[in-house]
Amino acid sequence: LDATIAYKMAVLRCIKYLAQFGYSEEQVYLLLSCCPCEGRISGIVDVPNAVCTLAIPLAIFDQDVRPPNDLEHFAKGIKVIEKDVCISEEGGAIPYDPRLAK
């Protein structure tokens, strides 16, 4: 992804994430347009791929919008079948690594 698309994706994902806390997507869009948020190009490892982040001050919210401390929330639908190998419960492909061959 180039940096422009990566930044747009970061903002769109932020809107979807904050909509989980009872805000409409329109409200989040308006909030992001007027709050002191900070967008950054976090890394460009192999051109044209870029990683962008969006930082928003937590003090503007009336509830805790931080991600949960346990990573299990982010790993929904994924289970460990072997050491260092995961498979999606929704039928995803198993990563192939010849070093893990039996």
Side-chain angles (χ1 to χ4, degrees):
L1 300 173
D2 69 346
T4 305
I5 295 172
Y7 185 75
K8 286 179 184 179
M9 289 177 63
V11 173
L12 291 173
R13 288 183 176 150
C14 178
I15 291 171
K16 292 285 186 191
Y17 177 77
L18 291 175
Q20 297 174 8
F21 295 96
Y23 304 104
S24 70
E25 291 185 4
E26 292 81 11
Q27 288 173 322
V28 178
Y29 181 82
L30 290 172
L31 177 74
L32 293 178
S33 68
C34 63
C35 80
C37 59
E38 182 177 313
R40 289 188 177 188
I41 297 175
S42 303
I44 300 178
V45 178
D46 51 347
V47 175
N49 297 324
V51 176
C52 292
T53 54
L54 187 66
I56 303 168
L58 295 175
I60 64 174
F61 297 101
D62 58 353
Q63 58 183 317
D64 188 11
V65 296
R66 293 177 292 180
N69 289 335
D70 60 337
L71 294 177
E72 294 170 5
H73 174 74
F74 293 107
K76 289 181 183 174
I78 296 178
K79 62 181 178 180
V80 175
I81 58 171
E82 287 182 33
K83 181 181 177 188
D84 299 329
V85 178
C86 295
I87 186 170
S88 170
E89 290 178 353
E90 298 172 354
I94 300 173
Y96 174 73
D97 188 342
R99 297 172 293 175
L100 300 174
K102 293 180 181 180

